[in-house]
Amino acid sequence: MEHRKISRAVISRLPRYHRYLGDLLEAGVERISSNDLSKKMNVTASQIRQDLNNFGGFGQQGYGYNVKYLYTEIGKILGLNKTHNFIIIGAGNLGQALANYASFEKSGFILKSLFDVNPRLEGMSIRGIQVRMMDELVDFLQNNEIEIAALTIPKSKVVEVADLLVANGIKAIWNFAHMDLDLPKDVIVESVHLSDSLMQLSYNISRRKEAKKK
Ligand code: NAI
């Protein structure tokens, strides 16, 4: 199925649709109306219809959405119908926590190795996945098809490591370090800042307190 260009706002909501539909599928639900999906997801039914209309033909009047079909199609749009090999650079607290999270594999993200400079971590493995030293990185990239590199290293090392990765063919970076990266246009960078989410929470707490005072 050909998809026309979809706005970033819609794309940013797709992972959530995918997650909810996955839960429904697991629960054996075959179809769902936009109203029921809307109640479950706490978004308006019209937002759901508008979002999903972007892809055309998913919903049918009086029938609702076919959960499996919608789940699969959204998965395809998100590129989840293919596997993506990734590595983690920096096997410290965060790198190890990510490596311990097995659910990425369910969505097709396959962790192939972790890399670090700390010799104490040499030979260690997490869920059977080996931690290697940084001097093995270039060889490893040449001999394995790695699409994504997650960066969980100190901020001061990020520019140098990102340049090395890009010079060795990496085109997608999942950046956890609090440093903006200035890389060639064909390199995709997705940055994650847990503290942004925490600040949103803090903002909402403050707002609720203000509202109570009134
Ligand atoms: P950590 O100190 O436990 O781990 C960092 C690891 O990177 C260490 O094992 C260290 O040996 C390794 N390392 C240092 N230089 C390296 C290099 N040039 N190449 C490869 N490995 C190298 O630190 P932690 O807590 O795991 O944090 C890692 C990074 O993630 C930090 O930049 C931190 O600010 C960031 N962070 C970001 C979060 C977010 O929400 N985006 C949340 C938590 C941490």
Side-chain angles (χ1 to χ4, degrees), residues 162-205:
D163 286 346
L164 177 67
L165 288 163
V166 171
N168 286 282
I170 289 292
K171 294 268 186 261
I173 292 184
W174 195 20
N175 178 31
F176 285 83
H178 305 295
M179 168 74 105
D180 291 335
L181 292 171
D182 185 18
L183 295 170
K185 277 207 177 64
D186 64 337
V187 180
I188 305 158
V189 180
E190 181 66 35
S191 296
V192 181
H193 302 293
L194 296 182
S195 46
D196 288 7
S197 165
L198 205 49
M199 283 177 206
Q200 285 285 343
L201 185 65
S202 153
Y203 169 76
N204 287 323
I205 294 171

Side-chain angles (χ1 to χ4, degrees), residues 89-95 115-118 121 134 151-155 157-158 160-161 175-178 192-195:
I89 313 284
N93 289 310
L94 185 57
F115 290 86
D116 207 290
V117 285
N118 182 350
L121 298 173
M134 277 302 269
L151 296 184
T152 50
I153 49 178
K155 184 173 158 174
K157 300 289 187 295
V158 162
E160 160 196 340
V161 170
N175 178 31
F176 285 83
H178 305 295
V192 181
H193 302 293
L194 296 182
S195 46

Side-chain angles (χ1 to χ4, degrees), residues 99-111:
N100 270 310
Y101 186 57
S103 287
F104 293 136
E105 264 127 61
K106 281 197 219 143
S107 309
F109 298 93
I110 316 293
L111 178 61

Side-chain angles (χ1 to χ4, degrees), residues 30-60:
E30 282 177 21
R31 60 177 168 159
I32 189 160
S33 67
S34 46
N35 280 331
D36 288 348
L37 190 57
S38 129
K39 274 184 214 129
K40 238 180 132 43
M41 293 186 64
N42 205 14
V43 276
T44 65
S46 90
Q47 167 98 80
I48 291 185
R49 280 193 293 268
Q50 250 178 46
D51 281 352
L52 302 183
N53 272 348
N54 274 289
F55 318 114
F58 285 157
Q60 276 170 38

